[in-house]
Amino acid sequence: MENKLWIVTELFFPEETSTAYIMTEVSAHIAQNADVHVICGPSSYQKSNIVSNAAFANESVTIHRVKALPLNKDKLLQRSLRMLLLSVQLSFKLLAKSRKGDRVLIVTNPAPIVLLVSLISRLKGLKCFTIVHDVFPENLVAARLMSSGSLGYKILKWIFNKAYSKMSVLFVLGRDMKEVFEKKLSSYRKKPAIYVVENWADTTGIFPMGKNENRIVQQLGVTDKIVFQFAGNLGRVQGLMELCNVIKQIRNPLVHFMFIGEGAVKQEMKDFVAVHHLRNVSMLDSFSRNQQREFLNAGDVGIVSLQEGMAGLGVPSKSYNILAAGKPILFIGDRESEIARMIDEHDVGWCYDLKDTRSLLEFFNNLSPEDVLYLKDKGEKARSLAVTKYTREIILDKYLKMTTSEN
C-alpha cells in the first residue's frame, strides 16, 4: 500500500486566512502525485468567500477534522488555551492514524505543533517536512512579548531548536529566514535540509487595472492622488505607529495613504488619525480574498513594513500579490529582509529603514505628478516579475517535487 502524506494544519478550507489558503492549495497540488490526508481544526475560525479553491472538492484529499472548545480567539488567555488544546488534538490524531514510512507536512502555527509532531515523527518513523511561516520563539521578542535575555526565552529557544533539528526538511520563505535557521541549528551535527520556497502570486485572479474606474478610489475621492496602500494585518510587528508618525509630518498634498484590514493597533491608528486631523489617511475594514483584484488596484504603491528585529522571522505573503497587481512596493524595514533584497535585485520599488524618518519624508515630500510614469514603469517590472518567478504553479511544483521525491 502506498505511503500517505499527512498534512497537519490548524487552519484549512473554508477558512480565509493566508495560512488556510496556502495549506489548502498545497494539499490540492500535492494530491496530484500522492495520497494526501489533511488533519485540521474545525471550519469555524473565519468564514470564507473563496469559491475557486479546489482542495475541498478534490477526491484525492481526505480531510480529518478535530473538534475545538468554543473559546474566544480574541481573548489572549482563551486563544492560547485553544491553540494548545488544538495542537494536542491534531497531533494525537496523527499519532493514531499514521504508520511507519508515511510522510507528514506541517506549518509552524500554532507553535506547539512543531514540538509534538517532531516527537511523533521520531516515535513512528515518519519523514517530516515543515513549512516555516513564523520563527518561534524569536517572533515573541520581535513582538516585544518576551525578552531575549530571560530564562523562559532561552529554554523555549533550546526546546524548539532541538525539535527543528529533528525535522527532515525545512521550507523557509526567504533567504533571510534560511540564514536564521542555519545559525539556529549550527551546533547540531544532524540537521534538516533547508530550502527556500517563497509564497506565490495569484497572477490569474489579480492583474493590473485602471485606478480611475476603481470603485474604492471613486468613493474616497482620491483619483488625483498618489495612493500608498497597506492591506493586511494591522499588527504590532508591522511598525505601523512609527509609519503614522512619519505620515503626520508629510507636507505633500499629492500623497494619500490607505490602510485596509484589522489588527491589534487598528484602533490606536484610528485614534492617531483623528487626534492629528490627518486628511491624507483612509482607514478601511477588511475585504474578502476574492476582492483582492479590486482593492489592490485602488493603490499606486503597495506598502510592506516590518518592525525592527523581524528580518528572517517572517516574509509578508501579500508582497507577491502586490506584484501581481502591477504595483511597485515601498518596503519599510531591515534591508537584509527577503522582500528588500527582491526589490533591490529587480528594481520593483523602494526600501527604507523604519528609523530613517528623514529619508522617508524626503521620498514622500518630493513626489510630483511627473513621477506617475516612473511609478508605472516600476509597476510593469513588478507584474513581469510575478508572472516569471512567483506564479502559483511554479511555487506549488516546488512543494510537489520535494515532498514526493524518493530522495
Short mmCIF file of all heavy atoms in Angstrom, two decimals, residues 334-367:
data_model
loop_
_atom_site.label_atom_id
_atom_site.label_comp_id
_atom_site.label_asym_id
_atom_site.label_seq_id
_atom_site.Cartn_x
_atom_site.Cartn_y
_atom_site.Cartn_z
N ASP A 334 14.13 46.15 7.61
CA ASP A 334 15.54 45.77 7.51
C ASP A 334 15.93 45.50 6.06
O ASP A 334 15.26 44.74 5.35
CB ASP A 334 15.78 44.51 8.36
CG ASP A 334 17.25 44.24 8.60
OD1 ASP A 334 18.02 44.26 7.63
OD2 ASP A 334 17.63 44.01 9.77
N ARG A 335 17.04 46.09 5.60
CA ARG A 335 17.48 45.93 4.21
C ARG A 335 17.93 44.50 3.90
O ARG A 335 18.09 44.15 2.72
CB ARG A 335 18.62 46.91 3.91
CG ARG A 335 18.22 48.37 3.93
CD ARG A 335 17.19 48.69 2.87
NE ARG A 335 17.69 48.58 1.51
CZ ARG A 335 18.03 49.64 0.78
NH1 ARG A 335 17.93 50.86 1.26
NH2 ARG A 335 18.46 49.46 -0.46
N GLU A 336 18.15 43.68 4.93
CA GLU A 336 18.55 42.30 4.70
C GLU A 336 17.35 41.36 4.57
O GLU A 336 17.52 40.16 4.34
CB GLU A 336 19.46 41.81 5.83
CG GLU A 336 20.81 42.51 5.89
CD GLU A 336 21.57 42.38 4.58
OE1 GLU A 336 21.69 41.25 4.06
OE2 GLU A 336 22.04 43.42 4.05
N SER A 337 16.14 41.90 4.72
CA SER A 337 14.94 41.07 4.60
C SER A 337 14.75 40.60 3.16
O SER A 337 15.22 41.24 2.22
CB SER A 337 13.70 41.86 5.04
OG SER A 337 13.79 42.23 6.40
N GLU A 338 14.05 39.47 3.01
CA GLU A 338 13.84 38.90 1.68
C GLU A 338 13.18 39.87 0.72
O GLU A 338 13.59 40.00 -0.43
CB GLU A 338 13.00 37.62 1.79
CG GLU A 338 12.63 36.98 0.47
CD GLU A 338 13.82 36.50 -0.34
OE1 GLU A 338 14.85 36.12 0.26
OE2 GLU A 338 13.72 36.50 -1.59
N ILE A 339 12.13 40.57 1.18
CA ILE A 339 11.41 41.48 0.28
C ILE A 339 12.30 42.63 -0.14
O ILE A 339 12.28 43.06 -1.30
CB ILE A 339 10.12 41.99 0.95
CG1 ILE A 339 9.20 40.80 1.29
CG2 ILE A 339 9.40 42.97 0.04
CD1 ILE A 339 8.83 39.93 0.12
N ALA A 340 13.13 43.14 0.78
CA ALA A 340 14.05 44.22 0.43
C ALA A 340 15.06 43.76 -0.62
O ALA A 340 15.38 44.48 -1.58
CB ALA A 340 14.77 44.72 1.67
N ARG A 341 15.56 42.55 -0.46
CA ARG A 341 16.51 42.01 -1.43
C ARG A 341 15.85 41.87 -2.80
O ARG A 341 16.45 42.19 -3.83
CB ARG A 341 17.02 40.65 -0.96
CG ARG A 341 17.81 40.68 0.34
CD ARG A 341 18.36 39.30 0.67
NE ARG A 341 18.89 39.23 2.03
CZ ARG A 341 19.55 38.19 2.52
NH1 ARG A 341 19.77 37.14 1.77
NH2 ARG A 341 19.99 38.20 3.77
N MET A 342 14.63 41.37 -2.81
CA MET A 342 13.91 41.19 -4.07
C MET A 342 13.71 42.53 -4.79
O MET A 342 13.92 42.64 -6.00
CB MET A 342 12.55 40.54 -3.81
CG MET A 342 11.67 40.39 -5.04
SD MET A 342 9.99 39.91 -4.62
CE MET A 342 9.36 41.44 -3.89
N ILE A 343 13.32 43.55 -4.01
CA ILE A 343 13.10 44.88 -4.59
C ILE A 343 14.39 45.43 -5.19
O ILE A 343 14.40 45.95 -6.31
CB ILE A 343 12.55 45.83 -3.51
CG1 ILE A 343 11.11 45.45 -3.15
CG2 ILE A 343 12.61 47.28 -3.99
CD1 ILE A 343 10.57 46.18 -1.94
N ASP A 344 15.48 45.33 -4.46
CA ASP A 344 16.76 45.84 -4.94
C ASP A 344 17.24 45.09 -6.19
O ASP A 344 17.76 45.70 -7.13
CB ASP A 344 17.82 45.73 -3.84
CG ASP A 344 17.64 46.79 -2.75
OD1 ASP A 344 16.98 47.80 -3.02
OD2 ASP A 344 18.16 46.59 -1.64
N GLU A 345 17.05 43.77 -6.21
CA GLU A 345 17.55 42.96 -7.31
C GLU A 345 16.76 43.18 -8.60
O GLU A 345 17.32 43.08 -9.70
CB GLU A 345 17.51 41.48 -6.94
CG GLU A 345 18.53 41.09 -5.88
CD GLU A 345 18.27 39.73 -5.27
OE1 GLU A 345 17.29 39.06 -5.68
OE2 GLU A 345 19.03 39.33 -4.37
N HIS A 346 15.46 43.49 -8.48
CA HIS A 346 14.60 43.55 -9.66
C HIS A 346 14.04 44.95 -9.93
O HIS A 346 13.25 45.12 -10.85
CB HIS A 346 13.46 42.54 -9.52
CG HIS A 346 13.92 41.13 -9.40
ND1 HIS A 346 14.33 40.39 -10.48
CD2 HIS A 346 14.05 40.32 -8.30
CE1 HIS A 346 14.69 39.18 -10.06
NE2 HIS A 346 14.53 39.11 -8.76
N ASP A 347 14.42 45.94 -9.13
CA ASP A 347 14.01 47.33 -9.33
C ASP A 347 12.48 47.47 -9.38
O ASP A 347 11.92 48.06 -10.28
CB ASP A 347 14.63 47.88 -10.61
CG ASP A 347 14.44 49.39 -10.74
OD1 ASP A 347 14.33 50.07 -9.70
OD2 ASP A 347 14.40 49.88 -11.89
N VAL A 348 11.82 46.89 -8.37
CA VAL A 348 10.35 46.92 -8.34
C VAL A 348 9.82 47.76 -7.17
O VAL A 348 8.70 47.56 -6.71
CB VAL A 348 9.76 45.49 -8.29
CG1 VAL A 348 10.01 44.77 -9.60
CG2 VAL A 348 10.32 44.70 -7.10
N GLY A 349 10.63 48.69 -6.69
CA GLY A 349 10.16 49.53 -5.60
C GLY A 349 11.28 50.25 -4.89
O GLY A 349 12.34 50.52 -5.48
N TRP A 350 11.05 50.53 -3.60
CA TRP A 350 11.99 51.30 -2.79
C TRP A 350 12.07 50.67 -1.41
O TRP A 350 11.12 50.08 -0.90
CB TRP A 350 11.52 52.75 -2.64
CG TRP A 350 11.19 53.39 -3.93
CD1 TRP A 350 12.00 54.18 -4.71
CD2 TRP A 350 9.93 53.31 -4.63
NE1 TRP A 350 11.34 54.59 -5.84
CE2 TRP A 350 10.07 54.07 -5.82
CE3 TRP A 350 8.72 52.68 -4.37
CZ2 TRP A 350 9.04 54.20 -6.74
CZ3 TRP A 350 7.68 52.80 -5.29
CH2 TRP A 350 7.84 53.56 -6.45
N CYS A 351 13.22 50.83 -0.76
CA CYS A 351 13.43 50.29 0.58
C CYS A 351 13.96 51.38 1.51
O CYS A 351 14.89 52.12 1.14
CB CYS A 351 14.45 49.14 0.55
SG CYS A 351 14.01 47.79 -0.56
N TYR A 352 13.37 51.45 2.70
CA TYR A 352 13.81 52.41 3.71
C TYR A 352 13.81 51.74 5.07
O TYR A 352 12.93 50.91 5.38
CB TYR A 352 12.89 53.63 3.76
CG TYR A 352 13.01 54.53 2.56
CD1 TYR A 352 12.17 54.38 1.46
CD2 TYR A 352 14.00 55.52 2.50
CE1 TYR A 352 12.29 55.20 0.35
CE2 TYR A 352 14.13 56.34 1.39
CZ TYR A 352 13.28 56.17 0.32
OH TYR A 352 13.41 56.98 -0.78
N ASP A 353 14.77 52.11 5.88
CA ASP A 353 14.80 51.66 7.27
C ASP A 353 13.73 52.41 8.04
O ASP A 353 13.51 53.61 7.83
CB ASP A 353 16.18 51.94 7.88
CG ASP A 353 16.36 51.29 9.23
OD1 ASP A 353 15.70 51.75 10.19
OD2 ASP A 353 17.15 50.35 9.33
N LEU A 354 13.05 51.72 8.94
CA LEU A 354 11.96 52.32 9.71
C LEU A 354 12.45 53.51 10.54
O LEU A 354 11.70 54.46 10.80
CB LEU A 354 11.34 51.27 10.64
CG LEU A 354 10.03 51.62 11.34
CD1 LEU A 354 8.93 51.91 10.31
CD2 LEU A 354 9.58 50.49 12.26
N LYS A 355 13.72 53.48 10.93
CA LYS A 355 14.27 54.57 11.75
C LYS A 355 14.74 55.77 10.92
O LYS A 355 14.99 56.84 11.47
CB LYS A 355 15.45 54.05 12.58
CG LYS A 355 15.04 53.09 13.70
CD LYS A 355 16.26 52.68 14.51
CE LYS A 355 15.88 51.79 15.68
NZ LYS A 355 17.06 51.38 16.47
N ASP A 356 14.84 55.56 9.61
CA ASP A 356 15.35 56.63 8.74
C ASP A 356 14.20 57.56 8.33
O ASP A 356 13.84 57.66 7.16
CB ASP A 356 16.04 56.03 7.52
CG ASP A 356 16.83 57.06 6.73
OD1 ASP A 356 16.87 58.24 7.15
OD2 ASP A 356 17.39 56.68 5.68
N THR A 357 13.66 58.25 9.32
CA THR A 357 12.50 59.11 9.11
C THR A 357 12.79 60.21 8.09
O THR A 357 11.95 60.54 7.25
CB THR A 357 12.07 59.74 10.45
OG1 THR A 357 11.77 58.70 11.37
CG2 THR A 357 10.83 60.60 10.26
N ARG A 358 13.98 60.76 8.15
CA ARG A 358 14.34 61.87 7.27
C ARG A 358 14.27 61.47 5.79
O ARG A 358 13.67 62.16 4.97
CB ARG A 358 15.73 62.38 7.62
CG ARG A 358 16.17 63.56 6.77
CD ARG A 358 17.53 64.07 7.23
NE ARG A 358 17.99 65.18 6.40
CZ ARG A 358 19.13 65.81 6.57
NH1 ARG A 358 19.94 65.47 7.58
NH2 ARG A 358 19.48 66.79 5.77
N SER A 359 14.88 60.32 5.46
CA SER A 359 14.89 59.87 4.06
C SER A 359 13.49 59.50 3.59
O SER A 359 13.10 59.77 2.45
CB SER A 359 15.82 58.67 3.90
OG SER A 359 17.15 59.03 4.17
N LEU A 360 12.71 58.91 4.48
CA LEU A 360 11.34 58.52 4.14
C LEU A 360 10.48 59.76 3.86
O LEU A 360 9.71 59.81 2.90
CB LEU A 360 10.76 57.69 5.28
CG LEU A 360 9.57 56.76 4.99
CD1 LEU A 360 9.82 55.89 3.77
CD2 LEU A 360 9.28 55.90 6.21
N LEU A 361 10.66 60.77 4.70
CA LEU A 361 9.93 62.03 4.50
C LEU A 361 10.32 62.70 3.19
O LEU A 361 9.47 63.22 2.45
CB LEU A 361 10.19 62.98 5.67
CG LEU A 361 9.28 62.86 6.88
CD1 LEU A 361 9.79 63.74 8.02
CD2 LEU A 361 7.85 63.24 6.51
N GLU A 362 11.60 62.69 2.87
CA GLU A 362 12.07 63.28 1.62
C GLU A 362 11.45 62.55 0.43
O GLU A 362 11.06 63.17 -0.56
CB GLU A 362 13.60 63.21 1.55
CG GLU A 362 14.30 64.22 2.46
CD GLU A 362 15.82 64.11 2.36
OE1 GLU A 362 16.30 63.24 1.60
OE2 GLU A 362 16.51 64.89 3.04
N PHE A 363 11.36 61.22 0.53
CA PHE A 363 10.76 60.44 -0.55
C PHE A 363 9.32 60.87 -0.79
O PHE A 363 8.91 61.15 -1.92
CB PHE A 363 10.84 58.96 -0.20
CG PHE A 363 10.04 58.07 -1.12
CD1 PHE A 363 10.48 57.81 -2.42
CD2 PHE A 363 8.84 57.51 -0.69
CE1 PHE A 363 9.73 57.00 -3.27
CE2 PHE A 363 8.10 56.70 -1.54
CZ PHE A 363 8.55 56.44 -2.82
N PHE A 364 8.52 60.94 0.28
CA PHE A 364 7.11 61.31 0.14
C PHE A 364 6.94 62.77 -0.32
O PHE A 364 6.13 63.07 -1.20
CB PHE A 364 6.38 61.10 1.46
CG PHE A 364 6.17 59.66 1.83
CD1 PHE A 364 6.56 59.18 3.09
CD2 PHE A 364 5.58 58.76 0.95
CE1 PHE A 364 6.37 57.86 3.44
CE2 PHE A 364 5.38 57.43 1.30
CZ PHE A 364 5.78 56.98 2.55
N ASN A 365 7.70 63.66 0.29
CA ASN A 365 7.52 65.09 0.00
C ASN A 365 8.02 65.49 -1.39
O ASN A 365 7.58 66.50 -1.94
CB ASN A 365 8.23 65.94 1.06
CG ASN A 365 7.44 66.00 2.36
OD1 ASN A 365 6.21 65.97 2.35
ND2 ASN A 365 8.15 66.07 3.48
N ASN A 366 8.93 64.70 -1.97
CA ASN A 366 9.49 65.04 -3.28
C ASN A 366 8.70 64.47 -4.45
O ASN A 366 9.01 64.75 -5.61
CB ASN A 366 10.95 64.58 -3.38
CG ASN A 366 11.88 65.40 -2.50
OD1 ASN A 366 11.58 66.55 -2.18
ND2 ASN A 366 12.99 64.81 -2.11
N LEU A 367 7.68 63.66 -4.18
CA LEU A 367 6.89 63.09 -5.27
C LEU A 367 6.09 64.19 -5.97
O LEU A 367 5.54 65.09 -5.33
CB LEU A 367 5.94 62.02 -4.73
CG LEU A 367 6.59 60.69 -4.32
CD1 LEU A 367 5.59 59.82 -3.58
CD2 LEU A 367 7.13 59.96 -5.55
#
